[in-house]
Amino acid sequence: MAEAEEDFSSLPLPDRFQHKVWKVRKQAYEDAAKAFEITPDEHDPAFRPFLQDPSLWKGAVADSNVAAQQDGIAAFCAFLKFGGREGCTRTRSHTVTPLVEKGLSSTRAATKQSALEAILLLIELDTPAPVIEDLLPALGNKQPKVVAATLAALTAIYHNYGCKTVDPKPVLKILPKAFGHADKNVRAEATNLAVEFYRWLREAMKPMFWNDLKPTQQTEIEAAFEKIKSEPAPKQERFLRSQQAAMSRAPPPGAGGAAEEEDDLEAEPVEVDAFDLAEPQDVLSKVAPDFHDQLASAKWKERKDALEALYVVLNVPRIKDGDFGEIARCLGPKCMKDANIAVVTQAAQCIEVLAKGLRKPFGKYRSIVMGPIMERLKEKKASVSDALGAALDQVFIATSLSDCLEETLEFLKHKNPQVKEGTMKFLIRCLKTTRDAPTKPEVASIAETAKKLLSESVEGLRSGGAEVLGTLMKIMGERAMGPHLEGLDDIRKTKIKEYFDTAEVKAKDKPKPTPAAAPRAAAPATAPRKVVAKKPATKKPPPAPSPYAQEALAPQPTARSIPGSKLGAPKTSGLSAPGAGLKAPMKRTLAGPGGAAPPTLSSPRRPVSQAPPPEEEPPAPPRIGLGGRGLAGRPLAAKAPALAPASQSTSPPPNSGLTALERAELEELRLDKDRLLRQSDDLRQERSRLNSEVQELKNQNAQLIEDHTRDVLSIKAKETQLVRARSDCEAAEAMCGQLRREMERLKRALTSAERVNSPPALSPSRDGATDEAGIYRDTGMYSGTQDNARTGYGNRARMSFNSALSEEKENTVDAVTAQYGRGKLSPELGRNGRNSAASGSGGRNSPAPAYQSRIRDTSTEGTRQEGNGQGVESWKRAAEVTSALKAKIEQMKVRFHSSLRINIR
């Protein structure tokens, strides 16, 4: 047994890792962990065998012996801890799956803890995404304990690193599957993971999986969420090696900045919304094809229905970018001018969800919708103004304060107080929610506009102006806002201070880093102090070499002097006249008070190099690059303090290191700067005016397009009416022709009836007789004719005329016949009547048989007088019917022609 132990200890670690005896493997794991702990760095040779053969760790973390497995996982943790990133990336693909299946589901608590630590180290050393990708397949394992252990590991990962570092989207997508698992332990771990997500994401996580849960599960999870709603925001407990390196590189004074960065890393995930978690959806293909036609409808209900359908399509967490220009133009300039406030409200809601779903890509449509929305802020109804305000807020979130500021300030000058107030409230919300502090020109523009609001007659606008200034002061600081508040009375300043104390903003003041970049061009007196304070390692050399400064100042008079002058010959013409030093700045010489001075006092800067005058002449040729460049010689001011002890007795104090020429150039540059600033302001105002004109022209163009569309639709409607009128005219003419033919037929019928009722001129016959006038009458024939006429006329009540008239003619005829008792003749009786009339008229030529004459004589002799009376009455009745028909026909013609003229107009 001793020999075997000696042989095992002499074997290299890779061979012992694969030994068939578990005790040998266990001892090898322990020896490897000890060897890793004593290595000086991650490049030690002890790591090389395991980097060359990463599969060794696969057997170690999944050892068949639970005791050896525990030491194997511990050795792997030591390897990751001391082996660095290379050890992580090479072994990750071999070890994650065995750790999940064999380590996390182990019955030993120490093994489970070591396996979890190994997974956390794999994330810490590199990036979390590959580890999460290897963990997710384990959620489909057949063993419920493996699935539950994987969910528990994911919970620990998000608890330690947070949702900012580890992307939650891959896990949220498959979370509903875990809630539907048959094992209760799996469902319990899924609930714990959902609660952990809720700590970081809050309500933003629900759109990803909430609808896939059962109502009972939703109720249980909501109850679990209620328990942690009052907890403070979670903090990231472990950091990646890259994050640790970034924090370690921070300068000592920035330790607070590192803490702020850490706080940012911890606070950001709480603000994650559904947009960051959702996948983009293509909504353009879902918009109704007839959307634009419905939006152009004359009925407000159809326009509102079209917008409601569009809202349902656009109301998704994230929208895929596309060409939404036409939709934006319909929602902005067109719908915002709608007379119906329900349409305006629905259009504002559509703009809100469109901006919320697009975010940054919506910036190209901002100018299309923002102006019309602000113009519509004149509505006093709360529901409309709230919808418009929400739309403006989403437009601002999708863009930035700089993008929206110019148009916002323009509408603060609007003549409508309601528009002013709505725009002012929008600006206050922008200042409170923006994360980018405005620039100095933007601060000046906001402050000037807000000060004008302080003098408004409406109290709400005055308070709003004070709140704008107070919120802006909270962002920029009291010192930066001090110049902008000059000229205001104490009452207004007190009001602004109250809003300053209560304002809550998210922006960080950006002017702070400006002094760090300014020392190179800052004021010379403060430059050394700031440089030493900010970067002592890099900025110490410039203030130290004072001899260099003295040496550099010596040749400056020759650089500015007349060509040909020398340092060793200071007695030039500038020394002869008193006060000539200021009148001849090119020589940089100053005469003494007595007019003639010794050569040693010719320049205030000469004493530093005056001790050996002859030796000073050779250094004159090297020029430092300061002569003849105006303000380019400003470094002189930075080096002037070094010469102060030597030259304070001879240099005049008002100069401060600058000559008269330099001061004149400085004044000119200041004037140029002021002029450029004024030009910049003028150009900015001109730009604002041109933008307003462009927007107005766009609105006019949209109005003209709308009017043109309306005119085209009106013309089409008139053409349709004209076609219908022509069709009605043709139908009426046809009806008139039918009525004319019917009237002719009725006239013929009346004529026939007249013939029947009129006494015909009878010729002598064998059965005739002579009346009182001496006219012979055939009593038999007359009697028969009277009989037939009376019979035909008596049956006229059953006659019906089957004429194909139009609907209006039928109504007219029905009205006439209803007025006159609907007296109609049947065609058969009419024919009988005409036959009787014909037989009566033809009886004069063909005498009737004797038996018929006798029958007629005997049958009609008693009723002839009665028949004559009834015939006259029937004639009168027929005449009335005819006149009534004529009157109705004339009325119908008049009514038809009047309606035709109306339709044509």
Side-chain angles (χ1 to χ4, degrees):
M1 188 66 182
E3 294 179 1
E5 290 179 358
E6 290 176 2
D7 293 336
F8 295 154
S9 60
S10 62
L11 291 175
L13 281 177
D15 294 341
R16 293 163 62 187
F17 266 50
Q18 298 175 343
H19 204 276
K20 62 181 179 180
V21 179
W22 69 270
K23 290 184 179 180
V24 178
R25 298 194 303 271
K26 185 176 184 299
Q27 187 62 39
Y29 302 151
E30 294 175 356
D31 295 343
K34 293 177 182 178
F36 297 148
E37 291 175 358
I38 62 175
T39 54
D41 55 30
E42 60 187 33
H43 304 290
D44 193 84
F47 299 105
R48 189 174 298 115
F50 302 96
L51 294 175
Q52 294 174 351
D53 189 9
S55 60
L56 292 173
W57 292 113
K58 181 177 181 180
V61 299
D63 200 295
S64 57
N65 186 276
V66 292
Q69 181 191 15
Q70 180 177 339
D71 292 334
I73 297 176
F76 182 61
C77 291
F79 172 78
L80 293 175
K81 186 176 182 180
F82 299 102
R85 182 175 179 273
E86 186 178 3
C88 164
T89 56
R90 292 204 176 194
T91 59
R92 181 172 53 204
S93 60
H94 299 277
T95 55
V96 173
T97 302
L99 282 172
V100 174
E101 295 179 352
K102 300 294 184 181
L104 293 177
S105 60
S106 176
T107 56
R108 291 195 171 198
T111 303
K112 293 172 65 175
Q113 186 63 30
S114 298
L116 180 59
E117 179 64 21
I119 292 175
L120 294 177
L121 283 171
L122 288 172
I123 293 176
E124 178 182 333
L125 291 170
D126 191 27
T127 56
V131 179
I132 298 297
E133 185 178 354
D134 292 339
L135 284 174
L136 292 181
L139 295 177
N141 197 288
K142 295 181 179 179
Q143 298 181 4
K145 65 177 183 178
V146 176
V147 180
T150 306
L151 291 172
L154 290 171
T155 304
I157 290 172
Y158 286 104
H159 181 80
N160 284 277
Y161 294 104
C163 290
K164 178 69 175 179
T165 304
V166 186
D167 187 11
K169 288 192 286 186
V171 181
L172 283 172
K173 290 180 181 179
I174 62 173
L175 194 57
K177 184 179 179 181
F179 278 104
H181 203 278
D183 189 79
K184 63 178 182 179
N185 295 328
V186 175
R187 296 195 299 272
E189 291 295 341
T191 302
N192 295 336
L193 180 57
V195 171
E196 184 63 33
F197 277 136
Y198 191 80
R199 291 177 64 243
W200 294 93
L201 306 177
R202 297 299 176 179
E203 297 296 327
M205 62 175 285
K206 289 187 177 181
M208 296 292 293
F209 74 100
W210 194 254
N211 294 332
D212 298 331
L213 301 179
K214 298 179 181 178
T216 55
Q217 293 175 335
Q218 292 179 357
T219 304
E220 294 175 359
I221 297 174
E222 278 290 353
F225 290 168
E226 288 293 334
K227 297 178 182 178
I228 63 171
K229 280 186 177 179
S230 58
E231 295 182 1
K235 296 181 180 181
Q236 185 174 344
E237 298 179 1
R238 295 183 65 157
F239 295 91
L240 303 180
R241 290 289 174 89
S242 58
Q243 295 174 339
Q244 296 174 18
M247 289 187 289
S248 64
R249 287 194 298 267
E260 291 177 1
E261 180 181 355
E262 181 177 349
D263 293 340
D264 291 342
L265 290 173
E266 297 161 357
E268 284 289 338
V270 180
E271 299 180 0
V272 173
D273 57 8
F275 181 85
D276 300 317
L277 303 176
E279 294 294 332
Q281 299 183 26
D282 183 13
V283 299
L284 278 176
S285 59
K286 301 178 183 178
V287 179
D290 58 343
F291 168 72
H292 298 286
D293 296 336
Q294 292 183 359
L295 204 60
S297 175
K299 298 180 180 179
W300 71 268
K301 184 65 175 175
E302 294 181 0
R303 299 195 300 271
K304 183 173 180 293
D305 293 342
L307 292 174
E308 288 177 350
L310 180 65
Y311 177 82
V312 174
V313 172
L314 298 178
N315 191 17
V316 295
R318 192 168 185 175
I319 298 175
K320 185 179 179 181
D321 190 16
D323 186 9
F324 291 91
E326 191 65 27
I327 294 179
R329 282 186 286 272
C330 290
L331 296 176
K334 189 171 184 179
C335 291
M336 287 298 117
K337 294 182 179 179
D338 200 286
N340 191 280
I341 59 174
V343 176
V344 175
T345 304
Q346 193 63 48
Q349 293 174 357
C350 291
I351 294 174
E352 177 186 358
V353 295
L354 181 61
K356 186 177 181 181
L358 283 176
R359 293 293 172 90
K360 288 185 179 180
F362 187 79
K364 52 191 172 183
Y365 311 119
R366 180 201 60 80
S367 59
I368 299 176
V369 301
M370 190 170 177
I373 293 176
M374 287 186 169
E375 191 70 35
R376 194 69 188 204
L377 287 173
K378 60 186 178 182
E379 293 292 339
K380 296 182 179 181
K381 194 171 183 180
S383 59
V384 182
S385 59
D386 292 345
L388 296 173
L392 286 175
D393 292 343
Q394 286 300 327
V395 170
F396 166 72
I397 293 173
T399 54
S400 65
L401 179 63
S402 300
D403 296 336
C404 303
L405 185 60
E406 184 175 351
E407 199 162 0
T408 303
L409 295 180
E410 285 297 323
F411 273 92
L412 282 176
K413 305 173 185 177
H414 201 275
K415 60 183 180 181
N416 192 319
Q418 200 73 19
V419 176
K420 276 187 181 179
E421 185 176 358
T423 308
M424 175 198 65
K425 292 179 179 178
F426 169 63
L427 178 59
I428 294 173
R429 294 195 299 270
C430 292
L431 293 174
K432 289 182 177 180
T433 57
T434 182
R435 291 191 175 275
D436 300 324
T439 61
K440 289 185 178 180
E442 292 173 349
V443 171
S445 301
I446 297 172
E448 289 299 323
T449 307
K451 285 193 292 186
K452 293 179 181 178
L453 293 177
L454 295 176
S455 59
E456 289 285 341
S457 59
V458 182
E459 197 279 332
L461 294 177
R462 295 196 300 271
S463 300
E467 187 173 0
V468 170
L469 291 172
T471 308
L472 190 61
M473 185 187 294
K474 193 76 172 182
I475 297 174
M476 306 304 298
E478 294 185 63
R479 182 177 180 182
M481 286 295 295
H484 300 290
L485 301 183
E486 293 180 357
L488 298 179
D489 53 32
D490 294 338
I491 298 177
R492 292 175 177 175
K493 288 184 178 179
T494 304
K495 191 73 171 177
I496 294 171
K497 191 66 169 59
E498 291 176 359
Y499 284 111
F500 166 75
D501 295 334
T502 58
E504 296 181 1
V505 298
K506 298 180 181 179
K508 297 179 180 179
D509 189 10
K510 285 187 176 180
K512 290 182 180 178
T514 304
R520 292 174 296 181
T526 59
R529 179 176 59 82
K530 290 187 177 180
V531 168
V532 173
K534 292 295 289 184
K535 294 186 178 180
T538 58
K539 295 296 181 178
K540 278 181 180 178
S546 60
Y548 174 79
Q550 296 175 0
E551 185 178 349
L553 289 174
Q556 288 176 4
T558 61
R560 291 244 196 225
S561 62
I562 304 173
S565 63
K566 296 183 180 179
L567 184 66
K571 43 187 178 180
T572 59
S573 60
L575 296 175
S576 60
L582 294 177
K583 295 183 179 180
M586 294 297 296
K587 298 180 180 181
R588 299 178 65 90
T589 59
L590 186 64
T600 56
L601 300 177
S602 62
S603 174
R605 301 175 191 246
R606 291 299 298 274
V608 279
S609 59
Q610 193 108 12
E615 289 79 8
E616 286 288 329
E617 189 172 359
R623 299 179 180 181
I624 312 302
L626 303 177
R629 293 194 303 168
L631 289 182
R634 285 186 62 184
L636 291 174
K639 301 174 179 60
L643 296 176
S647 61
Q648 62 182 358
S649 62
T650 59
S651 62
N655 285 345
S656 303
L658 296 177
T659 65
L661 178 62
E662 290 175 342
R663 285 196 298 271
E665 292 177 356
L666 179 60
E667 292 299 328
E668 290 179 0
L669 290 176
R670 286 176 178 172
L671 293 176
D672 291 341
K673 178 184 176 183
D674 295 337
R675 184 174 65 256
L676 290 175
L677 289 176
R678 288 193 297 271
Q679 290 178 358
S680 177
D681 293 338
D682 295 340
L683 291 175
R684 190 179 296 107
Q685 294 176 1
E686 182 68 16
R687 178 187 174 190
S688 301
R689 186 182 62 80
L690 292 176
N691 287 337
S692 301
E693 291 180 0
V694 169
Q695 187 64 34
E696 184 65 24
L697 291 175
K698 287 181 179 179
N699 296 337
Q700 292 178 3
N701 186 27
Q703 184 65 33
L704 290 175
I705 292 174
E706 186 176 358
D707 295 341
H708 175 69
T709 305
R710 189 184 304 110
D711 294 339
V712 170
L713 294 176
S714 177
I715 291 172
K716 290 183 178 180
K718 294 296 183 182
E719 289 177 353
T720 304
Q721 293 177 0
L722 185 59
V723 171
R724 291 179 180 175
R726 288 174 179 171
S727 177
D728 294 341
C729 180
E730 294 174 356
E733 289 178 354
M735 183 181 64
C736 289
Q738 293 176 356
L739 290 175
R740 194 177 295 107
R741 289 191 296 271
E742 183 68 18
M743 187 174 63
E744 294 296 333
R745 191 179 62 79
L746 291 175
K747 286 181 179 180
R748 288 195 298 271
L750 290 175
T751 304
S752 301
E754 289 175 0
R755 289 198 199 99
V756 171
N757 293 328
S758 62
L762 301 177
S763 59
S765 177
R766 58 180 179 180
D767 295 328
T770 302
D771 58 355
E772 298 177 355
I775 299 174
Y776 178 82
R777 297 182 185 277
D778 189 354
T779 56
M781 181 181 63
Y782 182 82
S783 175
T785 303
Q786 275 294 86
D787 234 27
N788 292 336
R790 185 171 59 253
T791 304
Y793 194 86
N795 293 331
R796 193 182 306 176
R798 295 190 304 273
M799 178 178 289
S800 63
F801 301 104
N802 297 325
S803 58
L805 300 176
S806 63
E807 181 181 4
E808 186 177 357
K809 186 205 73 171
E810 291 176 358
N811 295 335
T812 304
V813 174
D814 290 341
V816 174
T817 52
Q819 180 180 355
Y820 292 95
R822 303 184 63 87
K824 297 181 181 180
L825 303 173
S826 73
E828 296 179 358
L829 295 179
R831 286 193 298 270
N832 293 336
R834 288 192 294 270
N835 294 336
S836 300
S839 62
S841 61
R844 296 189 297 264
N845 300 324
S846 59
Y851 67 93
Q852 289 183 359
S853 298
R854 287 193 297 270
I855 292 173
R856 282 196 297 270
D857 291 340
T858 56
S859 60
T860 60
E861 185 176 358
T863 59
R864 184 176 293 120
Q865 297 299 329
E866 182 181 358
N868 291 333
Q870 290 181 355
V872 174
E873 183 181 355
S874 298
W875 163 250
K876 292 180 180 179
R877 189 173 179 183
E880 292 175 358
V881 171
T882 303
S883 60
L885 284 174
K886 289 181 179 180
K888 278 295 179 181
I889 290 171
E890 292 299 328
Q891 292 177 4
M892 185 175 62
K893 286 182 179 179
V894 172
R895 185 168 61 253
F896 168 73
H897 287 298
S898 61
S899 62
L900 183 59
R901 285 194 297 271
I902 292 174
N903 290 334
I904 292 175
R905 286 199 299 270

